[in-house]
Amino acid sequence: MVKSPGSSKSSKAAKTPKRRTHRITLIPGDGIGPEVSAAVVSIVEAAGRATGAAFEWHRYAAGAEAFETTGEYIPKALYDSIEENRVALKGPVTTPVGGGFASINVALRQKFELFANFRPVKSLPGLKTIYPDIDLIIVRENMEDLYAGLEHVVVPGVVQALKIITEKGSTRIAKFAFDYARRQGRKKVHAIHKANIMKLSDGLFLRCCQTVAEGFPEVEYREHIVDNTCMQLVMNPYQYDILLTENLYGDILSDLCSAFVGGLGLVPGANLGTECAIFEAVHGSAPDIAGKNLANPTALLQSAVLMLHHIGESETAARVQDALEQVYREGRTLTRDVGGTSGTREFAEAVLRAMETPVKAQA
Ligand code: ATP
């Protein structure tokens, strides 16, 4: 039952809005997480009130904060909640660098087999960025590669990290990307690799992509080496449509691509599996601006929009997205990362006001 955003099921639901309650596991996270989550919850609830949708948020801490109170980095109750609700909205959770506990994000993706990381990178109206009208999708394999977390000390001074690439994992992420392209009428898929050096691992990934591509003759299939892709993206991002990547390359290219649309404060993401889905922004916990009312909640808000589509709340999703775009078009209440002077709360209030008094976008 993997559904990616924009699936046809959700648009059917939009035509017959009726009162229903959605149970959603909420992980506010740490760093800027609590601030952006509070903003997003208030906006989603307001949109739901207008469309007849209600939300029950089941809140859980994760990471260092959870460890202090429960002795577990991911409490069992949190696992149970995601298993039961099947949908979670997640703020960033800090992963200690070079030691400490393992990444909570990676652990959740592994536990619930969230094999597809879907990251749309799309320009917002009115925002001056290095490139206008960007509309790219990053489809990133989410469970394998160097992120399998298999590292060990061979002898003191020598460490080995294992890059795991499987036929099963590569085929299913390629299938996800091509299915999405077919469903949404996207034209091109580029598989990103370094198979000239990692001949076996990236070679296997490419062979799987090639085999899947054969079943989708209407979608153009190309292959680019990852380092060249970085240069090509900066020179001309419009040559790409869907970037299909292994885990590590997808992580790096996501941050790079976010710069085209205004930075990490803007780009949303969905972790999709066969049973559950966790929606979270591309950005991390941004400790440099945490607790200062400076964070841009747009990335998590657009992740919530993906979530609303996923649960069949397309009308509610459109209400949020329209209000968000109105605030960007007007450009008066933007956060500092995109050239404004407003805080997280003021931005959220502007989105709420825009929902009350929508202005039709000029063609
Ligand atoms: P991770 O590896 O955990 O994903 P990261 O290394 O990409 O994290 P972030 O925590 O995302 O790092 O922050 C990178 C930079 O982007 C920081 O300077 C941070 O302030 C900025 N940033 C990230 N998210 C936002 C946001 N929502 N609003 C404004 N600035 C942000």
Side-chain angles (χ1 to χ4, degrees):
M1 75 147 220
V2 171
K3 274 187 293 162
S4 54
S7 67
S8 54
K9 191 173 170 205
S10 40
S11 47
K12 249 190 238 159
K15 284 182 201 132
T16 53
K18 54 181 190 244
R19 182 88 186 163
R20 52 185 174 258
T21 301
H22 300 281
R23 291 184 188 84
I24 297 184
T25 303
L26 177 69
I27 307 167
D30 52 45
I32 59 171
E35 296 163 84
V36 292
S37 304
V40 168
V41 165
S42 67
I43 294 165
V44 169
E45 290 202 332
R49 277 195 293 278
T51 60
F55 300 91
E56 243 180 48
W57 304 98
H58 298 181
R59 281 166 210 263
Y60 291 90
E65 189 195 349
F67 190 78
E68 273 173 27
T69 50
T70 67
E72 293 170 300
Y73 290 107
I74 306 179
K76 181 174 179 308
L78 168 54
Y79 280 131
D80 292 347
S81 173
I82 297 176
E83 209 156 280
E84 202 178 305
N85 296 335
R86 291 168 165 234
V87 179
L89 182 66
K90 179 181 163 298
V93 177
T94 305
T95 306
V97 175
F101 59 89
S103 165
I104 300 302
N105 311 327
V106 171
L108 287 172
R109 292 167 189 172
Q110 297 281 355
K111 166 79 180 170
F112 293 106
E113 223 178 320
L114 305 173
F115 68 89
N117 194 330
F118 175 88
R119 293 175 159 184
V121 184
K122 197 168 187 313
S123 300
L124 279 162
L127 204 54
K128 278 211 172 57
T129 50
I130 42 180
Y131 286 105
D133 302 323
I134 292 291
D135 183 7
L136 280 173
I137 307 281
I138 296 171
V139 173
R140 164 189 172 194
E141 201 290 321
N142 218 15
M143 294 177 58
E144 303 190 333
D145 198 353
L146 287 157
Y147 287 48
L150 300 173
E151 290 186 309
H152 65 114
V153 177
V154 181
V155 290
V158 182
V159 169
Q160 189 175 35
L162 299 179
K163 170 165 170 148
I164 307 294
I165 299 293
T166 68
E167 187 177 338
K168 179 184 166 201
S170 302
T171 302
R172 77 177 166 179
I173 197 63
K175 180 103 180 26
F176 177 93
F178 278 93
D179 276 340
Y180 179 80
R182 174 170 283 171
R183 223 174 31 250
Q184 297 296 320
R186 311 273 317 199
K187 301 274 177 288
K188 245 188 293 186
V189 172
H190 276 83
I192 309 303
H193 67 95
K194 189 77 186 173
N196 49 337
I197 304 296
M198 281 161 274
K199 293 175 193 296
L200 288 183
S201 52
D202 284 17
L204 173 61
F205 176 76
L206 277 190
R207 275 199 307 285
C208 295
C209 293
Q210 289 157 7
T211 306
V212 172
E214 283 168 15
F216 296 81
E218 78 278 23
V219 180
E220 187 182 336
Y221 172 67
R222 308 280 297 270
E223 295 170 353
H224 275 182
I225 293 179
V226 63
D227 39 359
N228 177 36
T229 306
C230 294
M231 190 273 288
Q232 295 287 343
L233 273 166
V234 174
M235 297 290 280
N236 175 18
Y238 302 105
Q239 65 187 296
Y240 295 104
D241 186 354
I242 295 178
L243 296 165
L244 166 58
T245 77
E246 294 170 3
N247 208 337
L248 175 63
Y249 307 148
D251 194 6
I252 295 167
L253 291 177
S254 298
D255 277 31
L256 193 160
C257 290
S258 80
F260 299 144
V261 295
L264 280 171
L266 302 172
V267 181
N271 300 288
L272 302 162
T274 48
E275 301 296 329
C276 302
I278 300 182
F279 296 82
E280 64 181 335
V282 167
H283 64 72
S285 58
D288 53 330
I289 55 167
K292 297 179 180 163
N293 192 37
L294 289 175
N296 188 345
T298 301
L300 190 64
L301 187 58
Q302 295 204 101
S303 306
V305 167
L306 295 176
M307 178 190 79
L308 290 168
H309 281 295
H310 180 82
I311 61 176
E313 283 293 342
S314 286
E315 192 191 346
T316 314
R319 209 174 157 78
V320 173
Q321 188 69 30
D322 289 351
L324 177 71
E325 291 185 8
Q326 186 172 319
V327 169
Y328 274 94
R329 257 194 316 275
E330 290 169 354
R332 287 193 300 268
T333 324
L334 303 182
T335 48
R336 211 177 58 168
D337 57 310
V338 289
T341 53
S342 300
T344 313
R345 284 191 295 276
E346 293 69 34
F347 176 84
E349 281 157 15
V351 177
L352 288 167
R353 273 197 306 278
M355 238 171 338
E356 295 306 315
T357 49
V359 174
K360 235 183 156 35
Q362 302 284 311

